[in-house]
Amino acid sequence: MKRLITKGLMFGNLIEVSSPALVERYNRALQHLTGKTTTLSDFHIDISGYSPEVGDELGDDLYLNPNGCNRQFILLTTAQKTAPLLHIKFSTSRGILEQFITANEAQLFALTARDAVAGELANSVYEVSTPAKLFDIRKITVEADTIGAHVRDATKLAGLIDRFRREPDAWRDDLLIAEMIGLAKKTGDVTRVPIALPAMGFEQPNFWTSHFGGIYIFRALRYPGVIATLPKQSLGAVPVAPVMDLRDRNEIADWLERNELAEPIVQARGTDVAAILRQKMDFILVDAADALNLDLGSATRSDLRKIAHRLGAGLPEEFLGLAALLRWVEGAGEWPRITSEHPAYFYTLRARAGKDRDLVNMLLAELAPLDVRQMYITHKELFYASYARWSERKRQYVADFLEREYMVDRQGAREALFGPEPAMDETHRPELRDGPRPAHDLVQAVGPWGAVRGRR
């Protein structure tokens, strides 16, 4: 993993905490939330205030996420909103924290100037001992205050001021006046500079969780569904159907099509489809060559072409399917019919625009695991776990490629592969499936590569 850290591919964009004042504030917040402190004089934190160095010192990577279902957070600066979230347990957590900081940025800027802000992404579930309990998680509430309770005291002072103004004889109440003065010394003049940090609620209908090997839960769709990484029987009884696992390729393809969640990359407007296909084919060749212990050379496209010639009839089916599609894209071959049973099928898809775009791309990364670029961008937890199992050759190739081709323009690469970022309030509205389709929309009319045949 040191190679990834050096190249900025892991623990990148974390916030440095090195001043004694910030370290002291962090320790006060840490003591308040967990009863623990750190002896480190400098470390780095993510958007939630989690520090990999502190986690290593404490021997607990979940020291801010007890039971993995109610993440706590420590804010030392509003700059944390651009940092990543490490050790993700729920796919929605980072987005919720970012929206909370953005919506309250002015207040948080003022509060963190004097103290650390600590809080929790709270829900009604305190442990997830069974998969069924995940379905009780529907709304996340963000609650926060400074360690010195400035927000609570400001709310109390505002109430006392209102009482002072309403009650005719309040000016004679020495206890009331003394309490107001005491609170004002701590909060300042809340009539001129109000302090408020109201609890914010976020609906969580569709999400991924790393619990139980990884589960995708889609409830707010026309056709709900659950997709598990482990065999679906391991989930037991859950309140949403159908339940699928990654081996159910036909069922997943059918479900994606019925919900209009995915589209073939050949339909993407303004996209260099040929370049994307070639790069996917390169990744597949590297994996095949590595499995056979073949020398990658400098892993240039010319070197990989030589490897393809050496493999000959042993070329992976994923490679052959994408090669057939590439020939069609470049006008050198017939339209290939790639069914959902074909190993190349999910490599040809990307998520449609909409609020679930990133979640669907995350799922597609699991269904097309040889596309390491998509895996790194959309599913870092899976990428790091996969990286740990790769050979040194493949690790070097992938790290060099991502540093060279992705890190120089991350936003541009994401838009080229997946389209523009969806707006915060963008929603996915499935069209009615009744009635005729436009004649030119042949691919969409019959499914990406012919009608999807789901097993019933």
Side-chain angles (χ1 to χ4, degrees), residues 77-377:
T77 168
T78 55
Q80 285 174 237
K81 74 175 183 178
T82 63
L85 179 64
L86 306 180
H87 298 296
I88 296 174
K89 291 295 183 181
F90 291 90
S91 59
T92 53
S93 296
R94 190 195 179 282
I96 289 174
L97 283 168
E98 182 182 3
Q99 289 180 67
F100 172 74
I101 296 172
T102 300
N104 299 283
E105 192 154 8
Q107 289 285 357
L108 289 171
F109 182 83
L111 290 170
T112 54
R114 64 178 84 178
D115 202 354
V117 172
E120 182 178 353
L121 305 187
N123 61 66
S124 59
V125 176
Y126 297 95
E127 55 88 18
V128 285
S129 56
T130 65
K133 292 190 176 182
L134 293 167
F135 295 82
D136 294 330
I137 301 174
R138 293 185 175 273
K139 185 175 182 179
I140 305 299
T141 302
V142 185
E143 302 172 348
D145 199 347
T146 64
I147 303 307
H150 290 87
V151 175
R152 183 193 65 193
D153 290 343
T155 301
K156 184 177 181 181
L157 176 58
L160 294 177
I161 292 173
D162 182 62
R163 175 185 162 191
F164 182 83
R165 288 170 171 170
R166 284 187 293 102
E167 296 180 3
D169 296 330
W171 62 275
R172 296 181 178 179
D173 190 335
D174 292 338
L175 291 178
L176 173 62
I177 294 173
E179 187 175 9
M180 290 169 58
I181 293 173
L183 289 172
K185 288 180 180 179
K186 183 176 180 181
T187 66
D189 186 353
V190 297
T191 61
R192 293 186 178 183
V193 187
I195 298 177
L197 207 58
M200 295 179 66
F202 297 86
E203 299 296 326
Q204 184 162 289
N206 304 333
F207 61 91
W208 167 86
T209 175
S210 65
H211 291 285
F212 307 104
I215 305 173
Y216 296 82
I217 296 174
F218 292 87
R219 291 179 291 203
L221 292 178
R222 192 178 211 181
Y223 305 100
V226 178
I227 302 172
T229 301
L230 298 178
K232 57 192 174 187
Q233 294 80 6
S234 65
L235 299 188
V238 295
V240 174
V243 178
M244 301 164 278
D245 61 46
L246 298 182
R247 298 173 299 179
D248 297 322
R249 296 174 62 86
N250 288 346
E251 287 85 348
I252 293 173
D254 180 54
W255 177 81
L256 288 171
E257 175 66 13
R258 286 186 292 123
N259 281 299
E260 297 183 334
L261 291 175
E263 65 181 2
I265 58 175
V266 296
Q267 285 186 292
R269 296 180 179 178
T271 298
D272 189 346
V273 176
I276 293 175
L277 291 175
R278 284 194 181 93
Q279 192 58 68
K280 290 174 182 282
M281 291 164 64
D282 286 351
F283 294 143
I284 294 168
L285 275 180
V286 167
D287 184 77
D290 185 61
L292 296 174
N293 202 29
L294 298 180
D295 183 15
L296 294 176
S298 299
T300 63
R301 188 148 286 158
S302 177
D303 293 329
L304 295 177
R305 191 178 299 114
K306 293 175 183 177
I307 289 174
H309 292 321
R310 289 183 61 185
L311 291 174
L315 283 167
E317 287 297 314
E318 296 93 336
F319 181 91
L320 295 174
L322 294 182
L325 181 58
L326 179 61
R327 287 194 295 272
W328 177 81
V329 168
E330 296 181 330
E334 298 293 325
W335 170 260
R337 186 176 185 277
I338 302 174
T339 69
S340 56
E341 294 180 346
H342 195 293
Y345 179 80
F346 290 106
Y347 289 89
T348 68
L349 301 181
R350 75 175 194 179
R352 290 184 185 273
K355 63 183 178 64
D356 292 318
R357 187 198 70 167
D358 291 344
L359 185 59
V360 173
N361 277 329
M362 194 176 187
L363 170 62
L364 291 174
E366 297 216 48
L367 293 163
L370 300 182
D371 188 347
V372 293
R373 175 172 55 182
Q374 173 156 334
M375 185 192 297
Y376 178 78
I377 295 172

Side-chain angles (χ1 to χ4, degrees), residues 34 62-72 120 126-127:
T34 70
L62 296 179
Y63 69 89
L64 284 182
N65 196 10
N67 298 321
C69 63
N70 284 272
R71 183 179 284 271
Q72 299 170 314
E120 182 178 353
Y126 297 95
E127 55 88 18

